[in-house]
Amino acid sequence: MRIFFDENKKELKAVTCNKCKKELKVENGILKEGCFGADVLFGYFSNKDGSRHSFDLCEGCYDEMIEGFAIPVNEEEVTELL
Ligand SMILES: [Zn+2]
């Protein structure tokens, strides 16, 4: 869950893991911890009919989630971050 200072959602104030409620480290509007941010729009062919879901998971909860996958996540090394 993300909280912003402004209505345009540009200046990040806080990020809390939706699963365990851990407060992630945010400094000067920049998230300084590993975080899985999900934002999905379920269309007309889903059972949620146009509903948008968004949530954030801390790195620990993300790791727990992907441990349950039958097919592991694709993983590749990225050298240029940000
Ligand atoms: Zn968590």
Side-chain angles (χ1 to χ4, degrees), residues 5 7 10-11 15-16 18-19 22 24 28-29 34 38 40 42 44 50 52 56 58 60 66-67 71 81:
F5 284 109
E7 282 187 18
K10 291 216 165 154
E11 203 179 341
V15 181
T16 305
N18 281 70
K19 189 173 179 195
K22 178 188 172 189
L24 303 189
N28 300 320
V40 61
F42 288 97
Y44 295 117
R52 184 175 200 159
D56 293 281
C58 71
I66 67 169
E67 269 177 26
I71 300 170
L81 299 172

Side-chain angles (χ1 to χ4, degrees), residues 28-82:
N28 300 320
I30 296 166
L31 179 59
K32 297 214 166 170
E33 258 191 78
C35 175
F36 174 79
D39 185 2
V40 61
L41 175 60
F42 288 97
Y44 295 117
F45 299 109
S46 74
N47 293 323
K48 296 177 184 62
D49 205 18
S51 178
R52 184 175 200 159
H53 290 192
S54 61
F55 63 89
D56 293 281
L57 294 179
C58 71
E59 203 168 349
C61 288
Y62 172 80
D63 288 343
E64 278 178 23
M65 178 181 75
I66 67 169
E67 269 177 26
F69 285 7
I71 300 170
V73 298
N74 285 327
E75 195 173 336
E76 63 182 275
E77 199 150 319
V78 178
T79 49
E80 287 179 37
L81 299 172
L82 295 179

